[in-house]
Amino acid sequence: MGEDTDATLTLNHHGFLPDHNYVTEADIISTVEFNHTGELLATGDKGGRVVIFQREPESKSEPFSQGEYNVYSTFQSHEPEFDYLKSLEIEEKINKIRWLPQQNAAHFLLSTNDKTIKLWKVSERDKRPEGYNLKDEEGRIKDVSTVTSLQVPVLKPMDLMVEVSPRRVFANAHTYHINSISVNSDYETYMSADDLRINLWHLDITDRSFNIVDIKPANMEDLTEVITAAEFHPLHCNLFVYSSSKGTLRLCDMREAALCDKHSKLFEEPEDPSARSFFSEIISSVSDVKFSHSGRYLLTRDYLTAKVWDLNMESKPLETYQVHDYLRSKLCSLYENDCIFDKFECAWNGSDSVIMTGAYNNFFRMFDRNTKRDVTLEASRESSKPRAVLKPRRVCAAGGKRRKDDISVDSLDFTKKILHTAWHPNENIIAIAATNNLYIFQDKLNSEMH
Amino acid sequence: MEVSAEAKRIMVVALGKLYSSRTQRGGLRLHRSLLLTLVMKSARDIYHAAQTTTESMEEEREEQQPSEVKMTTEASGTQELQGPASLPHLAADADAQGDAQNQDDACLGGPPHHTRKRRGKATAEPDFLPCKKAKLDLVSLTNSSVKRN
C-alpha cells in the first residue's frame, strides 16, 4: 500500500461500450456487489439490467495466476413502471444488489429499484433429459403408433446454461425511494430502507412487511433529515444501523421495541463551527454506511471524507480520511453543476485493514488503516493495459507545488465519477464501476489479505 | 457585498433546481429537495441579514395561498436565524404532487398573482422571477399596460 506500490494490480476490463464521450444512459452501472465467496460479481445498471460475472477457476498449470472474471449471466431485473395514482414514472434503475449466502447449488440475489425488491434465483443447467417416449429429439409429439417399446429417459450432458428466474417480488411497501437493502445474518429476513422508513421482510413472504423505523414527521414541513443508508450487523441479527442526511448514525436493537425509532446508540461528530459554509449540510450528509466484517467498526462516506467509527464510541469517529479535500474551496461550483449531490459508496477489504472509496476523474482512493498510507489510482483504459501495474496518481491543489504527471484540480473531469466500488470478501480483488465500464483489478503479488 | 451576492445566487440556483426536479423522471427526490431547501434557507437568512442594513423591510403577515407554489421549509431543527414568520416557506413533499400549472404561473407572474404574492425578500429578488420594481417603474414612466416577461 502507498505511493510506491509494490503490489501489482492487473486489469481485467469489461467495457460494455466503446469509451467515447457519449454514454448511453441505460448502460451506466448503478451498483456492484461480490457474493459471499467472491466467486460471483453482480452489477446493476440504469436500464434495469443485472450482469453477473463468474471467476474462472484457477488453472492448475499456472498455480499463481488467479482466475479472471467473465460474464456468467445477464437478465432484465426491473422494467420502467408507471404509478397511475401519483402520475409518476418509476425508474428501472437498479439501486442495490445484495447476495444471499449460498445454501444449495443455486445462487440467490436481491435487486431493488426505487419501489420494488425482487429475489432472483440463478441456477445452472448442464444436463438434459433425452429419450422421451412421446416426444422426438426436436420435441415434436410422436405418432403413438410408432412407439413400440418404452424407455427410461436419461440425463445427458449439455452446454452449460445459466437460468435466472424471479422467485419473489416485494412490492408496494415504500412510499419514498428505496436507497438500501440488507440481508440479515439470520438468512431469513432482510430490510429495505427508503428516505423516511425502514421495513423488515421475511424472504418467503411478499405480501407483508414490518415497519421498524419511521422518521416521517406528522407535518412534512417539519422535515429536517432523511435516511440515506441502512445495514444489518454482520453477526448480530438484532442490530442494524442507519445513516441520515444530517451526518448521524443510529444503531438500533430490534429486541428493544417493535418500532426502532428510538436508537440504542447515536453516532455524531460535533460540527466544527469554523468550517461552516452554505454547503455544510449537504457535505455532511452520509452517502453510505458499511459495517466492518468483524462487526466492530462502521465505515461512512460523506462528500469529502470517509470515517471509521468504533461501535463503542459515539462521540466522534475513530479515524477520518480526506478523500478529496481540494474540493472544499470549489463547493459552490460543485453545487451549481450538481456534483455536490453525488453519492459515493465505500468498502472494506476482507481483513478490515484497508478502506476504499471513489472520487472524480475516474480516481479511486484506498486508505490503509494500519500504516496510515493512502493511494489514489485511476480506472481508465488509457492508463491501464491488461497486466499493467497501476500507477499512483496525485492531485495537486490549486497553487500547490506541481510534480510531473500531477493533475490540477481544475482539470479534473467531474463527469467521470466512481460512485460504486466493491472489494472481494477474501482476496485483494476490487471491482470499480466507472460510468458504463466495469474494471476488475487483482493484486497478484499480495493476493492474501494482511 | 460579496456574501449577499453569493447568497442570492445560491438561492436562485436552488430554486431553479427545485423547479426542474419536479419534472424529473422517477418523481421528486426527497433527499435532494431537502438539501436544496436547507441551502436556500441558510442562504436566504444570510442574505436577509445583509439586506437589513440597506433596505427597510416591508413585512406583511400573509398566509400562503394554496394555489401558490407548494414549497415549505421547516422552521426548526437548524441553528440558523429564525426569520420572520411571513417569509416564504419552502420544502418538498414527495406525497403532494406539484401543480405544474401553479408553478408556471408563479414563474410567469401575471398581475393577479402579483397582488397575492408575498412581499418577502427572497421572492422579490431572484432574477428569473419578474421584478416588481421594474414593472412599477415602467408603469410610472409610460402609463401603459403591464409588461409581462
Side-chain angles (χ1 to χ4, degrees), chain A residues 346-357:
Chain A
C346 50
W348 295 92
N349 73 340
S351 58
D352 299 335
S353 59
V354 182
I355 61 169
M356 169 172 71
T357 188

Side-chain angles (χ1 to χ4, degrees), chain B residues 85-106:
Chain B
S86 64
L87 285 173
H89 292 258
L90 295 135
D93 184 355
D95 286 339
Q97 285 316 294
D99 287 358
Q101 185 59 42
N102 296 330
Q103 162 193 331
D104 289 338
D105 285 343

Side-chain angles (χ1 to χ4, degrees), chain A residues 92 114 221 335-336 338, chain B residues 9-10 17 25-26 29 74:
Chain A
E92 66 276 29
D114 283 337
E221 290 188 20
Y335 158 72
E336 286 177 20
D338 261 7
Chain B
R9 191 160 126 238
I10 288 171
K17 289 187 195 289
R25 202 173 162 243
R29 297 268 151 197
E74 67 299 331

Side-chain angles (χ1 to χ4, degrees), chain A residues 304-322:
Chain A
L304 296 177
T305 70
K307 295 176 180 166
V308 174
W309 303 75
D310 186 327
L311 243 61
N312 299 319
M313 183 166 71
E314 300 168 62
S315 54
K316 60 182 166 78
L318 200 60
E319 298 147 25
T320 300
Y321 299 97
Q322 301 297 331

Side-chain angles (χ1 to χ4, degrees), chain A residues 103-281:
Chain A
Q103 290 178 306
N104 53 40
H107 297 276
F108 289 86
L109 63 82
L110 288 168
S111 66
T112 185
N113 68 350
D114 283 337
K115 298 286 183 184
T116 304
I117 307 130
K118 295 188 185 179
L119 176 68
W120 293 90
K121 177 179 177 182
V122 185
S123 51
E124 292 183 0
R125 188 189 289 272
D126 62 356
K127 293 186 185 54
R128 182 181 63 205
E130 280 178 26
Y132 284 104
N133 290 290
L134 297 175
K135 285 192 287 187
D136 65 15
E137 293 303 312
E138 278 83 45
R140 289 185 297 246
I141 306 291
K142 282 185 192 171
D143 183 355
V144 178
S145 58
T146 63
V147 178
T148 51
S149 63
L150 287 177
Q151 58 185 348
V152 177
V154 290
L155 291 173
K156 292 266 172 68
M158 58 178 261
D159 289 339
L160 180 66
M161 200 166 74
V162 180
E163 297 178 326
V164 180
S165 61
R167 304 302 288 177
R168 306 269 188 276
V169 178
F170 305 91
N172 302 320
H174 286 280
T175 308
Y176 302 95
H177 297 112
I178 297 174
N179 53 54
S180 313
I181 48 174
S182 179
V183 182
N184 204 349
S185 52
D186 64 9
Y187 303 161
E188 284 187 349
T189 58
Y190 77 94
M191 69 161 146
S192 55
D194 66 29
D195 293 315
L196 297 177
R197 299 190 178 103
I198 301 181
N199 293 332
L200 181 70
W201 301 84
H202 190 285
L203 283 162
D204 292 335
I205 299 170
T206 58
D207 60 355
R208 255 170 304 159
S209 67
F210 288 100
N211 175 240
I212 53 176
V213 173
D214 188 339
I215 64 167
K216 183 176 177 182
N219 186 355
M220 280 299 275
E221 290 188 20
D222 300 332
L223 182 71
T224 56
E225 68 182 325
V226 298
I227 298 168
T228 52
E231 199 183 44
F232 268 118
H233 192 283
L235 305 169
H236 302 302
C237 57
N238 56 300
L239 292 178
F240 65 92
V241 72
Y242 70 90
S243 59
S244 85
S245 54
K246 273 192 172 171
T248 62
L249 303 171
R250 284 175 174 80
L251 185 73
C252 299
D253 189 335
M254 294 196 290
R255 294 174 304 188
E256 281 183 9
L259 191 60
C260 300
D261 280 359
K262 195 159 157 291
H263 53 262
S264 292
K265 293 197 183 186
L266 174 67
F267 300 85
E268 188 173 15
E269 184 172 25
E271 196 192 345
D272 176 10
S274 66
R276 183 125 189 87
S277 77
F278 286 115
F279 310 107
S280 297
E281 278 114 352

Side-chain angles (χ1 to χ4, degrees), chain A residues 328-367:
Chain A
R328 202 175 282 273
S329 54
K330 310 268 176 200
L331 292 179
C332 198
S333 321
L334 294 164
Y335 158 72
E336 286 177 20
N337 67 14
D338 261 7
C339 285
I340 207 174
F341 300 103
D342 287 336
K343 296 185 182 156
F344 292 93
E345 290 174 10
C346 50
W348 295 92
N349 73 340
S351 58
D352 299 335
S353 59
V354 182
I355 61 169
M356 169 172 71
T357 188
Y360 293 105
N361 209 74
N362 278 351
F363 287 168
F364 58 99
R365 305 263 278 136
M366 290 196 214
F367 300 89

